[in-house]
């Protein structure tokens, strides 16, 4: 579903948006939709990262530990040989 809305932009902003849209082969509307969606996702991910930080969770360390464990198990099972796909 698409909603039509009226927005106001400075002359500089709209010219830059037109230039970027043209460069990417998009209509101005499609480019603005994509830019707004990307901004909204950045806001959500930033809020999520802040919440994870406040909770004291260290997801990066946990992910690295998981990767080390997978490598260790692979080493034990496959003796350093690549796994068959």
């Amino acid at each position: 579903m698409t909603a039509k809305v009226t927005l106001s932009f400075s002359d500089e902003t709209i010219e830059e948006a037109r230039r970027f849209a043209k460069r990417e082969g998009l209509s101005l509307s499609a480019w603005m939709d994509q830019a707004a969606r990307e901004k909204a996702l950045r806001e959500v991910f930033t809020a999520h990262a802040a919440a994870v930080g406040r909770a004291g969770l260290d997801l990066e360390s946990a992910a690295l530990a998981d990767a080390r464990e997978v490598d260790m198990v692979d080493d034990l099972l496959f003796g350093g040989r690549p796994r068959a796909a």
Side-chain angles (χ1 to χ4, degrees), residues 12-48:
E12 182 180 314
T13 298
I14 200 67
E15 285 309 313
E16 287 177 5
R18 284 185 174 124
R19 189 170 55 253
F20 287 128
K22 183 177 181 179
R23 184 182 71 190
E24 294 180 25
L26 297 171
S27 68
L28 179 59
S29 291
W31 189 88
M32 295 295 263
D33 182 70
Q34 179 180 315
R37 184 177 302 116
E38 288 173 3
K39 172 67 173 168
L41 287 173
R42 276 193 306 276
E43 293 290 329
V44 168
F45 290 140
T46 299
H48 179 262

Side-chain angles (χ1 to χ4, degrees), residues 3-4 28 55 63 68-69 77 84-85:
K4 291 197 178 257
L28 179 59
R68 285 191 299 271
E69 189 173 327
L77 291 176

Side-chain angles (χ1 to χ4, degrees), residues 58-69:
D58 188 356
L59 299 180
E60 184 176 2
S61 291
L64 291 171
D66 287 349
R68 285 191 299 271
E69 189 173 327

